[in-house]
Amino acid sequence: MNQMLTLALSKGRIFDETLPLLEAAGIHVTEDPEKSRKLILPTSDPQLRVVIVRASDVPTYVQYGAADFGVAGKDVLLEHGGEGLYQPVDLQIAKCRMSVAVHSGFDYASAVHQGARLRVATKYVQVAREHFAAKGVHVDLIKLYGSMELGPLVGLSDAIVDLVSTGSTLRANNLVEVEHIMEISSRLVVNQAALKLKREKLQPIIDAFAKASLREK
Ligand code: ATP
Ligand code: MG
């Protein structure tokens, strides 16, 4: 039976932080995606290959079974919806938080208190919509694909919803974090059909990832 497995990863921190988990499962990725232009990378396991996709596309590849499993941030999974995905392990990698930030001169608390309608620029429209609805704050959401920090600086929006780790990008752009929405980390996502059909090959890798991720906590 063909038990070839495909793992979807994005370049950068997810790839870098998944490498030690793969090592713990006895798997080495033999090429560096930052150097190679290849989108399909072989590994030391002839039955496992890695495909390199955009971070926000990982759930899509796994949902359609083009990849059997992948690693995706909670931020990405919430926007995607997680349909058709089994999420067995919080890998405790690529940790950050999702926050509301405004220009340092903007009085967010009074604007909210006065019931003002706020313009919020973000890549995370689902999370932002739910967050402000739960608070009873009326917002006009503006969808962006990156550089959210620019929004309040050029008058596009009053606030942004973005990922923050050290806060240095916010500080460099004269923005302040005014609300913490949720903690973010990356999850292992598995195609539900693959889990049934390729369990023999997949389960030991899932178990090794789960065990190794306990050390990341
Ligand atoms: P793309 O570059 O394709 O637009 P992206 O910018 O979301 O996507 P990355 O910056 O590699 O891609 O982020 C991948 C994941 O890492 C995010 O989905 C999130 O879960 C997490 N992440 C993003 N920013 C940080 C950060 N500053 N610190 C820790 N983890 C982060
Ligand atoms: Mg990025």
Side-chain angles (χ1 to χ4, degrees):
M1 189 185 165
N2 178 19
Q3 292 266 300
M4 181 71 189
L5 286 184
T6 301
L7 171 65
L9 296 176
S10 52
K11 258 197 249 188
R13 54 170 66 84
I14 298 237
F15 182 86
D16 298 345
E17 296 186 31
T18 301
L19 279 188
L21 301 176
L22 282 166
E23 293 285 339
I27 298 158
H28 321 281
V29 182
T30 42
E31 262 176 273
D32 177 357
E34 300 294 344
K35 294 198 186 106
S36 152
R37 286 164 183 264
K38 285 186 193 162
L39 297 176
I40 302 182
L41 306 177
T43 74
S44 58
D45 181 342
Q47 292 185 102
L48 179 73
R49 61 181 186 172
V50 172
V51 291
I52 301 296
V53 305
R54 279 296 282 270
S56 48
D57 290 335
V58 167
T60 307
Y61 278 83
V62 176
Q63 173 187 15
Y64 286 95
D68 299 293
F69 61 146
V71 176
K74 184 178 177 187
D75 51 318
V76 162
L77 290 167
L78 289 171
E79 291 303 308
H80 173 271
E83 204 189 318
L85 303 177
Y86 173 60
Q87 298 181 30
V89 191
D90 180 346
L91 297 171
Q92 302 287 337
I93 61 169
K95 285 187 182 176
C96 53
R97 55 192 185 272
M98 184 138 4
S99 295
V100 181
V102 299
H103 193 269
S104 59
F106 182 75
D107 191 346
Y108 177 75
S110 331
V112 167
H113 186 72
Q114 287 162 20
R117 196 171 180 91
L118 295 179
R119 302 220 312 179
V120 179
T122 187
K123 187 165 152 184
Y124 308 103
V125 289
Q126 306 292 350
V127 173
R129 184 176 293 113
E130 278 184 36
H131 173 72
F132 291 107
K135 283 178 57 93
V137 174
H138 295 286
V139 292
D140 290 319
L141 292 170
I142 301 170
K143 168 80 184 184
L144 290 180
Y145 294 88
S147 301
M148 268 78 82
E149 297 86 2
L150 188 60
L153 305 183
V154 295
L156 177 68
S157 68
D158 303 308
I160 61 171
V161 167
D162 199 3
L163 299 177
V164 182
S165 49
T166 62
S168 56
T169 307
L170 292 182
R171 271 192 300 280
N173 290 293
N174 204 13
L175 301 175
V176 289
E177 208 173 344
V178 288
E179 249 163 26
H180 173 194
I181 302 179
M182 62 176 76
E183 294 299 319
I184 299 289
S185 56
S186 284
R187 316 291 161 109
L188 188 64
V189 293
V190 183
N191 176 275
Q192 287 173 349
L195 187 64
K196 293 194 193 91
L197 299 170
K198 300 184 182 178
R199 181 150 224 152
E200 210 180 306
K201 176 83 187 151
L202 254 175
Q203 194 66 52
I205 301 176
I206 296 173
D207 293 344
F209 274 35
K211 193 162 164 237
S213 69
L214 289 175
R215 282 182 250 135
E216 306 271 342
K217 280 195 175 135

